[in-house]
Amino acid sequence: MSRIAVAVASVFLLLPTIVRGEDRAVHDGSVKSVAQDKLTILDKQGKESTYTVPAGIPVMIHGKASKLEELKSGMLIRVTTGLKGDVASITTVEPLMIVGATLLWR
């Protein structure tokens, strides 16, 4: 493995699952289930989180505008919320690389 790949892998392994900005939080995980307006995801550590997704919230699947019900189990996604937990957007993400059994995100 090249030094660059090892450096990139090291940085991503140190990043937390939740990245906080001043007015938002970003949650990465995989879709566990979608039922009506509820989205349940599993984070990298296997912790389950469920979000209520109001109508009109942007959902992007592979760069295209989509609907919540089009998300499929196992898809890698990023849920952006306000600091109070209200969902602002949902988008699929592609893995950057897989090192051993660890999945690294973009």
Side-chain angles (χ1 to χ4, degrees):
M1 185 183 284
S2 74
R3 289 182 187 175
I4 292 173
V6 170
V8 169
S10 298
V11 169
F12 278 96
L13 289 173
L14 296 175
L15 290 176
T17 299
I18 300 174
V19 179
R20 294 202 181 275
E22 287 184 25
D23 60 351
R24 66 185 176 91
V26 177
H27 312 269
D28 289 338
S30 62
V31 174
K32 180 177 180 187
S33 65
V34 176
Q36 296 176 347
D37 65 344
K38 303 284 189 216
L39 169 65
T40 302
I41 69 171
L42 294 173
D43 70 12
K44 295 175 198 173
Q45 290 76 35
K47 180 183 173 198
E48 189 175 294
S49 299
T50 300
Y51 302 92
T52 299
V53 182
I57 294 300
V59 176
M60 301 293 288
I61 298 178
H62 306 297
K64 296 182 181 179
S66 303
K67 297 177 183 176
L68 181 65
E69 58 269 15
E70 294 177 62
L71 291 171
K72 303 294 180 209
S73 179
M75 283 182 160
L76 303 178
I77 62 170
R78 175 166 290 152
V79 178
T80 304
T81 64
L83 292 180
K84 294 181 180 178
D86 50 316
V87 175
S89 67
I90 301 167
T91 186
T92 57
V93 294
E94 300 300 324
L96 179 62
M97 69 174 70
I98 298 176
V99 178
T102 303
L103 178 65
L104 303 177
W105 307 75
R106 276 189 203 188

